[in-house]
């Protein structure tokens, strides 16, 4: 006869309600763990999937994800000359916030080095990679855009040709992928009047110079497109990503590039470290500590629940002692209920979490490892929580039956 | 330790004394109480509240050790002074049965399970425990309520189940503390007669602490306690 099962059947409603309460508590623990994992995964998704071995950024900065980095777009050509470098391409990343269908739309704009990079590495759930040099985009599902949607950014309109899932920035904003040229156009878009004023200012600055007096065509060029003025240099990008030949040592290639005085270089692991231990470090640690706190609170609450359940049975336990029941039977009664309560709570946490978490604004990533870890934690909590009840039960004298 | 074979004396209590507290707060609840109870005998222990009846019963029931004196059950010395000479819980499990004013049934077990649990704590296999529990419930006239929870039984039925539980392991000694206090006269009489039947038919010795003087005719002997002293009812208290 299993006394724990008999007791549960007799007090089934109360047991289920208690299990639901514990399940909701464990769901929050699981959710915190999922937010923690999701935050790290979101932060690393581009670095992991873009397939770059090295990130070359503005000297002294920590890369395009940590802070503003500006390097000339033609740096990619210089990098291709370094021994061991198989390919290099420019990378642009910046945030924009616009109105779309009456709602604020905040996105992280990534520029792909078309045509070498069309976004095949992006996690697409619908549509296709970029198919032309301009006016197409891949949008993450979290942005709420669908295939075929048109989005006006700057002076141009872009069509959604692909929808990705799980491609978000470390801040949780959905990523939109454009060709590099389009991404730069979006980044440096200026109103017509601003352009006209800039050109007029250039003409004004140059009009008194000896060079423009001797060569009037220079002044005419100053009144034209910025890209037509060699002195202004190429456009700036956020970084250049480098892939080394198979068998080549990325660290050795990085050491060569690091000798250049105008850039800094990071390996993929270095960039990941910067993201995890730099950019999201405080949020990560805060959630980590909160998770530990929740486990402690869960242990205390479960202990109190199990202690109360034991107190309710103290007379029965005294009777069992009176008729000679061994301690193992009494410990089994308490421990089995604790473990069953924990197991049921864990199952409910998993079920309810599976329904609730996808509705969270940020990704909640529950991994198999985290589920296993939580299962072990629940077993530990259940055993630890039942100790208080067992301690109380062991102290009960059989003559308590008489009172 | 187990009593070897049937011993004529189910219980021998020798000069049991129980003192609570010490110094100014010392209370002598029981003083040199001695009693010999034969197998198959049913006796009543009478006395006013606070006389020490329950102290005597719980002492010989091995749940409230005496301060001094000896307790011998089935020929085995269990207590010599306050220290037990055997594992008391294991001894209770095999050789003692208890019935109280309240039936004290476990609320989440049905009648049959309440009896079977006493057998299972004594390592009886579940199927045998169930069969024997049904036999006992049948013997006590409540077999038809075997699957009912305690809350679904009347007070008399509950007390019969409690008696069945006390009988489950065929104990040498059954101790009952005011078992009819919560029952009406008719049902109280039935329970007392049940004890007599159990004692005479099964050979267990039964000691019943009671205030109920209307059923004294069912007992083989009666004792009384006054101010912690135990004596036959026809004796005069020593000064």
């Amino acid at each position: 006869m299993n006394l724990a099962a008999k007791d549960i059947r007799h007090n089934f409603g109360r047991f289920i309600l208690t299990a639901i309460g514990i399940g909701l508590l464990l769901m929050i623990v699981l959710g915190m763990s999922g937010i923690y994992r999701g935050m790290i995964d979101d932060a690393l998704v581009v670095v992991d999937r873009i397939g770059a071995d090295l990130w070359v950024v503005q000297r002294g900065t920590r890369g395009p994800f940590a802070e503003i980095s500006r390097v000339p777009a033609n740096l990619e050509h210089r990098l291709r000359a370094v021994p061991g470098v198989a390919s290099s391409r420019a990378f642009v990343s910046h945030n924009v916030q616009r109105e779309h269908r009456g709602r604020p739309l905040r996105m992280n704009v990534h520029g792909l080095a078309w045509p070498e990079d069309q976004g095949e590495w992006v996690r697409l759930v619908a549509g296709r990679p970029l198919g032309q040099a301009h006016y197409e985009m891949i949008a993450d599902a979290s942005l709420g855009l669908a295939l075929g949607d048109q989005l006006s950014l700057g002076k141009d309109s872009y069509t959604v040709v692909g929808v990705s899932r799980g491609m978000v920035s470390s801040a949780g904003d959905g990523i939109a992928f454009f060709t590099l040229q389009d991404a730069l156009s979006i980044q440096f878009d200026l109103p017509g009047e601003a352009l006209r004023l800039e050109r007029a200012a250039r003409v004004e600055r140059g009009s008194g110079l000896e060079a423009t007096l001797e060569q009037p065509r220079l002044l005419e060029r100053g009144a034209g497109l910025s890209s037509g003025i060699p002195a202004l240099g190429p456009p700036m990008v956020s970084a250049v990503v480098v892939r080394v030949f198979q068998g080549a040592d990325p660290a050795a290639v990085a050491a060569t590039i690091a000798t250049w005085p105008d850039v800094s270089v990071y390996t993929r692991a270095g960039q990941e470290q910067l993201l995890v231990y730099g950019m999201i470090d405080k949020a990560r640690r805060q959630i980590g500590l909160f998770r530990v706190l929740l486990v402690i609170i869960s242990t205390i609450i479960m202990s109190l629940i199990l202690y109360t359940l034991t107190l309710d049975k103290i007379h029965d336990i005294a009777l069992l002692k009176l008729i000679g029941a061994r301690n193992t039977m009494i410990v089994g009664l308490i421990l089995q209920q604790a473990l069953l309560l924990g197991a049921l709570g864990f199952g409910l946490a998993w079920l309810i979490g599976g329904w609730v978490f996808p509705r969270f604004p940020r990704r909640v990533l529950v991994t198999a490892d985290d589920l296993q870890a939580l299962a072990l934690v629940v077993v530990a909590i259940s055993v630890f929580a039942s100790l208080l009840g067992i301690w109380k039960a062991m102290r009960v004298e059989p003559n308590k039956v008489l009172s | 330790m187990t009593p070897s074979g049937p011993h004529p004396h189910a219980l021998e209590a020798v000069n049991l004394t129980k003192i609570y507290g010490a110094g100014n707060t010392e209370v002598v609840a029981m003083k040199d109480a001695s009693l010999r109870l034969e197998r198959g005998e049913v006796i009543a222990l009478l006395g006013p509240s606070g006389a020490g009846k329950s102290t005597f019963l719980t002492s010989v029931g091995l749940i409230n050790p005496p301060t001094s004196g000896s307790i011998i059950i089935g020929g085995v010395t269990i207590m010599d002074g306050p220290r037990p000479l055997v594992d008391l819980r294991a001894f209770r499990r095999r050789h003692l049965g208890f019935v109280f004013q309240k039936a004290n049934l476990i609320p989440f077990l049905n009648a049959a399970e309440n009896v079977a649990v006493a057998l299972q704590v004594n390592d009886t296999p579940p199927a045998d425990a169930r069969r024997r529990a049904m036999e006992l419930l049948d013997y006590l006239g409540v077999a038809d309520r075997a699957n009912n929870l305690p809350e679904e039984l009347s007070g008399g039925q509950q007390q019969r189940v409690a008696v069945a539980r006390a009988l489950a392991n065929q104990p040498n000694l059954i101790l009952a503390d005011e078992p009819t206090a919560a029952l009406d006269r008719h049902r109280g009489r039935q329970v007392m007669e049940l004890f007599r039947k159990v004692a005479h038919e099964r050979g267990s010795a039964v000691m019943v602490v009671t205030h109920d003087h209307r059923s004294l005719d069912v007992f083989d002997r009666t004792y009384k306690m006054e101010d912690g002293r135990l004596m036959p009812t026809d004796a005069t208290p020593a000064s």
Side-chain angles (χ1 to χ4, degrees):
Chain A
M1 181 187 323
N2 187 309
L3 292 179
K6 298 280 180 188
D7 185 30
I8 289 167
R9 192 186 299 170
H10 187 246
N11 298 299
F12 192 68
R14 190 178 66 169
F15 186 81
I16 288 295
L17 280 176
T18 307
I20 289 173
I22 290 171
L24 290 173
L25 197 61
L26 292 176
M27 185 197 74
I28 296 172
V29 176
L30 194 62
M32 272 296 151
S33 169
I35 290 171
Y36 177 88
R37 290 273 172 231
M39 180 177 283
I40 292 175
D41 198 69
D42 287 350
L44 300 181
V45 67
V46 172
V47 176
D48 279 348
R49 293 189 71 88
I50 202 168
D53 296 313
L54 300 173
W55 290 76
V56 184
V57 301
Q58 181 182 336
R59 183 78 180 178
T61 70
R62 296 292 179 268
F65 306 107
E67 58 183 310
I68 292 172
S69 161
R70 284 154 56 89
V71 292
N74 61 10
L75 176 65
E76 65 178 293
H77 305 303
R78 207 170 8 132
L79 286 165
R80 282 185 196 136
V82 176
V85 171
S87 67
S88 66
R89 58 185 193 264
F91 177 86
V92 167
S93 173
H94 57 89
N95 288 318
V96 297
Q97 184 166 328
R98 300 282 188 276
E99 286 280 320
H100 181 66
R101 293 176 184 155
R103 288 188 305 118
L105 179 68
R106 185 173 170 79
M107 67 172 83
N108 188 249
V109 172
H110 272 221
L112 304 177
W114 170 273
E116 295 90 352
D117 184 358
Q118 299 174 16
E120 297 91 343
W121 52 273
V122 176
R123 292 173 185 156
L124 286 180
V125 291
R128 56 169 174 78
L130 300 180
Q132 60 187 47
H134 291 290
Y135 314 127
E136 286 189 349
M137 65 182 283
I138 299 169
D140 189 72
S142 62
L143 293 170
L145 299 172
L147 280 181
D149 277 0
Q150 297 269 330
L151 186 66
S152 290
L153 292 168
K155 297 177 186 62
D156 299 311
S157 190
Y158 300 88
T159 304
V160 177
V161 297
V163 175
S164 65
R165 190 175 297 281
M167 301 298 295
V168 298
S169 71
S170 59
D173 300 321
I175 298 175
F177 296 90
F178 300 82
T179 63
L180 191 72
Q181 289 303 319
D182 286 348
L184 288 170
S185 298
I186 294 165
Q187 186 177 11
F188 298 113
D189 173 61
L190 288 172
E193 182 61 14
L195 288 172
R196 281 191 289 277
L197 287 171
E198 169 58 21
R199 287 172 189 173
R202 275 206 299 263
V203 171
E204 181 63 26
R205 284 197 300 272
S207 58
L209 297 177
E210 192 177 332
T212 56
L213 291 172
E214 289 173 358
Q215 298 181 66
R217 281 189 60 80
L218 282 178
L219 209 53
E220 285 174 27
R221 277 191 144 182
L225 294 171
S226 300
S227 56
I229 307 170
L232 291 181
M236 304 300 272
V237 295
S238 305
V240 176
V241 294
V242 170
R243 189 175 283 178
V244 301
F245 283 114
Q246 201 166 8
D249 180 9
V253 178
T256 304
I257 299 168
T259 59
W260 298 355
D262 60 333
V263 294
S264 291
V265 59
Y266 298 99
T267 59
R268 182 202 296 202
Q271 194 60 240
E272 287 176 354
Q273 289 260 317
L274 283 173
L275 279 164
V276 174
Y277 296 106
M279 194 146 173
I280 61 165
D281 186 52
K282 280 183 183 161
R284 186 181 64 86
R285 279 192 293 158
Q286 182 144 326
I287 290 173
L289 284 172
F290 197 62
R291 188 170 57 155
V292 171
L293 208 58
L294 273 174
V295 169
I296 294 169
I297 291 167
S298 304
T299 308
I300 292 169
I301 291 175
M302 268 190 80
S303 298
L304 286 174
I305 288 170
L306 289 166
Y307 184 66
T308 309
L309 287 175
T310 306
L311 284 185
D312 288 349
K313 287 194 285 287
I314 216 74
H315 192 266
D316 304 325
I317 289 168
L319 181 78
L320 285 169
K321 283 188 166 183
L322 180 75
I323 64 174
R326 293 176 179 84
N327 284 340
T328 49
M329 186 184 222
I330 295 161
V331 169
L333 168 66
I334 298 167
L335 197 57
Q336 284 171 37
Q337 288 196 348
L339 289 171
L340 196 60
L341 209 54
L344 206 56
F346 175 78
L348 286 169
W350 183 63
L351 278 176
I352 300 170
W355 183 75
V356 169
F357 294 156
R359 288 161 174 78
F360 276 38
R362 279 205 69 164
R363 196 143 67 98
V364 182
L365 181 64
V366 179
T367 63
D369 284 350
D370 282 345
L371 274 174
Q372 280 177 11
L374 183 66
L376 288 174
V377 167
V378 168
V379 170
I381 287 177
S382 302
V383 172
F384 182 78
S386 63
L387 291 180
L388 198 59
I390 290 169
W391 172 78
K392 181 70 181 175
M394 292 300 103
R395 285 169 57 93
V396 173
E397 293 293 335
N399 56 16
K400 178 93 176 165
V401 175
L402 302 173
S403 60
Chain B
M1 193 179 291
T2 302
S4 55
H7 190 278
H9 306 317
L11 167 70
E12 288 176 82
V14 183
N15 294 330
L16 296 186
T17 296
K18 180 71 183 182
I19 300 170
Y20 293 107
N24 291 338
T25 59
E26 183 178 291
V27 174
V28 180
M30 181 170 67
K31 177 77 175 165
D32 293 330
S34 296
L35 175 74
R36 180 177 291 171
L37 186 54
E38 309 297 331
R39 288 175 58 80
E41 191 177 26
V42 53
I43 69 163
L45 188 53
L46 308 168
S49 295
K53 302 187 300 296
S54 292
T55 300
F56 181 74
L57 185 115
T58 53
S59 287
V60 298
L62 311 179
I63 53 178
N64 184 20
T67 309
S68 64
S70 304
I71 299 168
I72 303 154
I73 297 175
V76 178
T77 303
I78 310 300
M79 307 277 293
D80 191 10
R83 288 194 313 176
L85 302 176
V86 299
D87 178 351
L88 295 185
R89 202 187 297 189
F91 197 88
R92 281 199 306 269
R93 183 160 64 225
R94 296 192 193 102
H95 304 295
L96 298 183
F98 295 89
V99 182
F100 300 100
Q101 181 177 337
K102 281 164 55 184
N104 282 316
L105 301 178
I106 297 174
F108 51 83
L109 301 181
N110 64 30
E113 289 165 345
N114 261 290
V115 180
V117 74
L119 289 153
Q120 281 193 242
V121 299
N122 208 14
D123 300 327
T124 307
D128 292 348
R130 172 82 189 179
R131 183 181 48 74
R132 173 130 178 84
M134 289 305 297
E135 284 173 8
L136 285 165
L137 292 176
D138 187 43
Y139 176 67
L140 294 166
V142 281
D144 58 327
R145 310 312 301 270
N147 293 319
N148 288 97
L149 291 169
E151 66 198 28
E152 297 163 344
L153 303 175
S154 69
Q157 288 169 334
Q158 286 186 25
Q159 206 58 296
R160 281 166 182 265
V161 176
V163 173
R165 182 179 62 199
L167 287 173
N169 290 305
Q170 297 178 297
N172 293 45
L173 178 63
I174 295 173
L175 302 165
D177 191 5
E178 302 194 29
T180 61
L183 303 178
D184 61 33
R185 180 182 177 181
H186 175 64
R187 293 196 187 283
R189 172 96 195 166
Q190 280 187 332
V191 170
M192 292 300 195
E193 286 176 350
L194 199 59
F195 283 127
R196 183 182 179 81
K197 182 182 171 186
V198 165
H200 291 179
E201 290 182 7
R202 305 214 161 209
S204 299
V206 180
M207 184 197 304
V208 180
V209 168
T210 182
H211 279 113
D212 187 357
H213 288 251
R214 292 167 300 192
S215 304
L216 293 183
D217 57 302
V218 303
F219 296 101
D220 297 320
R221 285 185 288 152
T222 55
Y223 285 79
K224 65 180 176 184
M225 277 203 99
E226 285 182 14
D227 298 329
R229 292 179 185 278
L230 178 68
M231 66 202 83
T233 45
D234 53 357
T236 306
S239 56

